[in-house]
Amino acid sequence: MERKIVLEAVGFLLVLFNIQSCYGQFPRPCTTVDALLSKECCPVWPGDGSTCGELSGRGTCQDVTLINSAVGPQFPYVGVDDRENWPTVFYNRTCQCLGNFMGYNCADCKFGFRGPNCTESRRMIRKEIFRMNSAEKSKFIAYLNVAKHTISPDYVIPTGTYDQMNNGSSPMFVDINVYDLFVWIHYYASRDAFVGENTIWSNIDFAHEAPAFAPWHRYYLLHWEHQIQKITGDENFTIPFWDWRDAQGCDICTDELLGGSHPTISGLLSPASFFSTWQITCSRAEEYNSQRALCNGTGEGPLLRNPGRHDRSRTPRLPTTAEVEFCLSLTDYDTAPMDRSANFSFRNTLEGFANAQTGIANRSQSNLHNSLHVFLNGSMSSVQGSANDPIFLLHHAFVDSIFEQWLRRHRPTVAVYPEANAPIGHNREYYMVPFIPLNTNGEFFEQSRDLGYDYDYLAEPGSIEDFLMPYLEQARQIWQWLVGAAVVGGFITAVLATIIGLACRKKRKPLTEETQPLLMEAEDYHSTYQSNL
Ligand SMILES: *[C@@H]1O[C@H](CO)[C@@H](O)[C@H](O)[C@H]1NC(C)=O
Ligand SMILES: *[C@@H]1O[C@H](CO)[C@@H](O)[C@H](O)[C@H]1NC(C)=O
Ligand SMILES: *[C@@H]1O[C@H](CO)[C@@H](O)[C@H](O)[C@H]1NC(C)=O
Ligand SMILES: *[C@@H]1O[C@H](CO)[C@@H](O)[C@H](O)[C@H]1NC(C)=O
Ligand SMILES: *[C@@H]1O[C@H](CO)[C@@H](O)[C@H](O)[C@H]1NC(C)=O
Ligand SMILES: *[C@@H]1O[C@H](CO)[C@@H](O)[C@H](O)[C@H]1NC(C)=O
Ligand SMILES: *[C@@H]1O[C@H](CO)[C@@H](O)[C@H](O)[C@H]1NC(C)=O
Ligand SMILES: *[C@@H]1O[C@H](CO)[C@@H](O)[C@H](O)[C@H]1NC(C)=O
């Protein structure tokens, strides 16, 4: 009897085991005439007064080397946009940090490390917002407001193109608060290109509609988290996420959380929410295009949101668990032509340009990631201005967790990320626009645990796995002996049964979620974060 239980227990463990295997900103010191004309962005590390902290072995000032692999046909110009061959229109030398150091002057630790010499590794957990206690929720709302009211000490934004700055001899940069810095970064990566005297090219985006969508936003969120940790002094801060699978509406749109709707004025936030006082920026793409100007960070009115008042023929409801599951089952990270028309592409389906039940691209539908943007029907709904709404962060953290599930399930090497022929900005070795320090897309096509973070709902099984590993190994080694030794077997049975009991309890919830039926028989649902909202 006991033997049987032991065998079953170990067998179950093995099954369990197998299932488990289931900064664009411009650094302030680099915006002087000297830095721009010399094209060198190698600031001093204040710790020892040397550039890039070289005297302390943190890093050195190096020429930027670009890997020029072929790009897709989506952007048929060369030499017209400041973001081409990033960052070489502005700088051709930057700090390259050594070891675990990071940052434009190597002052910081790489994600996942801390301590004066960046030698302590750490893993942070991002939590689902409804699993946070009220103190944690209030702290998050407070930090957002701190970010909105704190001028970035590290970064400024350009208010003109390189050409408008006379190739660097007349710098145009302004201060910006930390929250809006990230709004601007997202805008700048996705803005249209000014071509020649009077042409606007909108089929260009360094963060969307192509392979870099997942790693670019992964880096963006890590960078955001890192800046909040710095300005608040809370080294343990992580972005919460919103698990919107099967949600009937915007259940985080309450005054306690991200803001309820205004009682009388459609499209505005409730006056009882902090966020009703926020000013948005970078939301007027057409105005910038017509003036051939960049967003300069000035306020452009209140935050707009009107959950569920969107075009339902494009997005009939929020995504279901089954749709997320279908998306995760796609084995190809991206497929030719690696843009919004890609079929059976994990990336394009996750991003939402492809149907989440078939994987076929469809321009008249907005699915998964895109569907949330469209559903919120306000600031979130235009690509360039979407980061104005703090829901952006919670939404993208959850999207990142789906990317993470895909990485864990399919265990790709970085070679799976396209090396060539992706749309401009999206090849593996391209430096992500507009970040300085430099990071390639490929560097963030990596599991979150290697970047020092995890998600609560993914970490639980993982940590049980880690916890059980030694027991399981032992059980394997002493198998014969185990089967014969009833007394010891009984003891181990008890231990294993307890552990399995815990494991099953933790596992059970996601399983029931996954078997929930679709909310609607969605055959006829339509779509954009529309093609070019
Ligand atoms: C970097 O740019 C500066 C200024 O244009 C130029 O003098 C220098 O030769 C360039 N260096 C490299 C490595 O391209
Ligand atoms: C950090 O590194 C410096 C230089 O190698 C060394 O002098 C110092 O003791 C280290 N500090 C810690 C806390 O390890
Ligand atoms: C900037 O550099 C470009 C290319 O080198 C040149 O064609 C242009 O005349 C320069 N503009 C100014 C204002 O110096
Ligand atoms: C962050 O978490 C670590 C580990 O739990 C703890 O030792 C440290 O005091 C925390 N730091 C802050 C600022 O709360
Ligand atoms: C910022 O841009 C807006 C147009 O988007 C313009 O009206 C305003 O004058 C600019 N402000 C500055 C200081 O350039
Ligand atoms: C909101 O939805 C309506 C259709 O219901 C659409 O016409 C409008 O453009 C949407 N607004 C935004 C900001 O997405
Ligand atoms: C995607 O599939 C549809 C439907 O089969 C097809 O019409 C379309 O050409 C395909 N697109 C690509 C890029 O292969
Ligand atoms: C695209 O979506 C529309 C609206 O849902 C649908 O009518 C059409 O059949 C779809 N096209 C393809 C190729 O799946």
Side-chain angles (χ1 to χ4, degrees):
M1 178 63 188
E2 275 164 353
R3 283 182 203 164
K4 187 161 173 267
I5 292 172
V6 171
L7 288 174
E8 274 174 5
V10 173
F12 182 79
L13 274 179
L14 289 169
V15 169
L16 197 72
F17 216 83
N18 282 332
I19 290 170
Q20 304 320 336
S21 19
C22 64
Y23 302 66
Q25 68 259 349
F26 287 68
R28 197 176 284 278
C30 301
T31 55
T32 61
V33 173
D34 273 1
L36 288 164
L37 291 183
S38 68
K39 295 189 121 187
E40 184 170 297
C41 179
C42 291
V44 162
W45 178 53
D48 68 4
S50 67
T51 55
C52 312
E54 181 168 8
L55 291 177
S56 304
R58 288 183 164 243
T60 54
C61 188
Q62 300 282 336
D63 291 348
V64 174
T65 45
L66 300 176
I67 295 186
N68 292 307
S69 40
V71 296
Q74 292 82 0
F75 182 65
Y77 300 96
V78 174
V80 300
D81 190 283
D82 292 347
R83 299 166 295 180
E84 287 176 58
N85 297 318
W86 185 259
T88 57
V89 167
F90 294 95
Y91 306 108
N92 62 19
R93 286 169 67 77
T94 62
C95 288
Q96 267 179 31
C97 306
L98 300 166
N100 293 337
F101 298 108
M102 181 180 85
Y104 62 75
N105 59 355
C106 304
D108 300 322
C109 299
K110 272 192 180 160
F111 301 119
F113 292 91
R114 73 169 109 201
N117 291 342
C118 302
T119 47
E120 299 160 31
S121 71
R122 61 166 179 171
R123 186 176 296 167
M124 316 268 280
I125 303 291
R126 291 186 183 159
K127 284 188 181 173
E128 216 272 335
I129 192 156
F130 291 110
R131 283 192 284 269
M132 290 168 53
N133 63 38
S134 49
E136 289 171 322
K137 287 183 222 169
S138 311
K139 194 169 76 173
F140 173 61
I141 305 301
Y143 285 180
L144 285 167
N145 281 287
V146 170
K148 193 77 174 179
H149 294 105
T150 305
I151 297 296
S152 171
D154 294 330
Y155 296 107
V156 290
I157 57 161
T159 56
T161 62
Y162 190 67
D163 183 50
Q164 289 165 352
M165 294 187 209
N166 293 318
N167 295 352
S169 51
S170 11
M172 298 164 70
F173 294 92
V174 294
D175 282 339
I176 193 159
N177 69 62
V178 172
Y179 189 91
D180 289 348
L181 170 67
F182 283 85
V183 175
W184 186 91
I185 289 172
H186 191 260
Y187 145 81
Y188 191 78
S190 57
R191 74 179 181 86
D192 302 332
F194 307 147
V195 178
E197 291 293 302
N198 48 24
T199 305
I200 299 295
W201 191 265
S202 50
N203 190 14
I204 183 171
D205 192 318
F206 293 80
H208 303 91
E209 303 185 5
F213 170 71
W216 190 95
H217 286 87
R218 170 159 286 200
Y219 177 69
Y220 177 92
L221 292 182
L222 279 164
H223 188 28
W224 197 90
E225 222 164 49
H226 190 72
Q227 292 298 308
I228 299 300
Q229 289 162 5
K230 275 177 133 173
I231 61 168
T232 62
D234 181 352
E235 57 179 352
N236 296 329
F237 168 76
T238 54
I239 299 176
F241 63 92
W242 174 30
D243 180 350
W244 34 245
R245 285 175 298 179
D246 309 313
Q248 305 285 331
C250 182
D251 45 18
I252 56 173
C253 294
T254 63
D255 288 339
E256 188 211 0
L257 296 173
L258 280 297
S261 294
H262 195 284
T264 53
I265 308 173
S266 161
L268 293 185
L269 297 190
S270 151
S273 164
F274 270 115
F275 301 110
S276 65
T277 64
W278 279 28
Q279 283 279 309
I280 58 172
T281 191
C282 300
S283 66
R284 299 185 177 164
E286 275 164 29
E287 186 178 314
Y288 314 141
N289 284 349
S290 69
Q291 298 177 1
R292 301 179 91 71
L294 295 186
C295 164
N296 59 22
T298 53
E300 297 172 344
L303 192 51
L304 304 175
R305 194 195 292 154
N306 210 351
R309 299 295 158 79
H310 64 294
D311 175 359
R312 284 183 178 263
S313 65
R314 172 166 284 283
T315 298
R317 49 159 175 69
L318 293 177
T320 64
T321 299
E323 288 172 333
V324 170
E325 201 47 44
F326 171 80
C327 181
L328 285 167
S329 74
L330 293 168
T331 53
D332 290 330
Y333 177 69
D334 216 336
T335 59
M338 299 189 265
D339 57 17
R340 60 184 182 241
S341 71
N343 289 333
F344 311 117
S345 150
F346 165 72
R347 189 275 313 157
N348 204 36
T349 307
L350 174 62
E351 193 169 357
F353 294 105
N355 186 296
Q357 294 168 6
T358 63
I360 304 281
N362 191 325
R363 293 193 68 143
S364 55
Q365 304 178 338
S366 292
N367 302 293
L368 295 187
H369 152 268
N370 287 346
S371 71
L372 272 292
H373 284 279
V374 170
F375 176 86
L376 289 168
N377 196 239
S379 304
M380 267 288 268
S381 311
S382 72
V383 177
Q384 297 181 27
S386 54
N388 277 299
D389 189 331
I391 291 179
F392 179 95
L393 297 163
L394 285 83
H395 171 44
H396 271 277
F398 188 60
V399 170
D400 184 72
S401 82
I402 300 173
F403 174 43
E404 182 58 25
Q405 288 192 62
W406 187 86
L407 289 174
R408 291 186 194 178
R409 187 176 301 188
H410 300 279
R411 298 182 180 266
T413 64
V414 72
V416 163
Y417 188 96
E419 191 266 324
N421 301 319
I424 184 171
H426 291 260
N427 284 339
R428 191 194 305 156
E429 304 295 340
Y430 204 93
Y431 291 120
M432 289 189 259
V433 174
F435 300 106
I436 295 174
L438 306 180
N439 289 285
T440 65
N441 294 313
E443 285 169 60
F444 287 82
F445 190 76
E446 185 176 13
Q447 291 200 19
S448 73
R449 289 186 286 218
D450 296 329
L451 297 165
Y453 73 102
D454 206 340
Y455 288 92
D456 60 2
Y457 80 115
L458 305 179
E460 283 172 14
S463 53
I464 288 169
E465 180 181 317
D466 294 346
F467 175 61
L468 285 181
M469 185 73 94
Y471 294 95
L472 192 61
E473 219 16 71
Q474 238 173 343
R476 276 181 184 145
Q477 283 168 16
I478 59 175
W479 185 259
Q480 294 302 325
W481 178 81
L482 240 187
V483 170
V487 175
V488 180
F491 172 70
I492 292 181
T493 304
V495 172
L496 288 177
T498 309
I499 293 166
I500 291 162
L502 289 172
C504 292
R505 222 174 300 158
K506 291 194 168 156
K507 285 279 302 172
R508 206 156 283 148
K509 185 170 174 256
L511 284 175
T512 46
E513 274 173 18
E514 276 153 25
T515 54
Q516 275 177 11
L518 296 182
L519 293 177
M520 291 174 58
E521 290 301 326
E523 269 131 33
D524 56 342
Y525 71 109
H526 313 257
S527 180
T528 50
Y529 235 9
Q530 305 168 55
S531 304
N532 277 295
L533 267 176

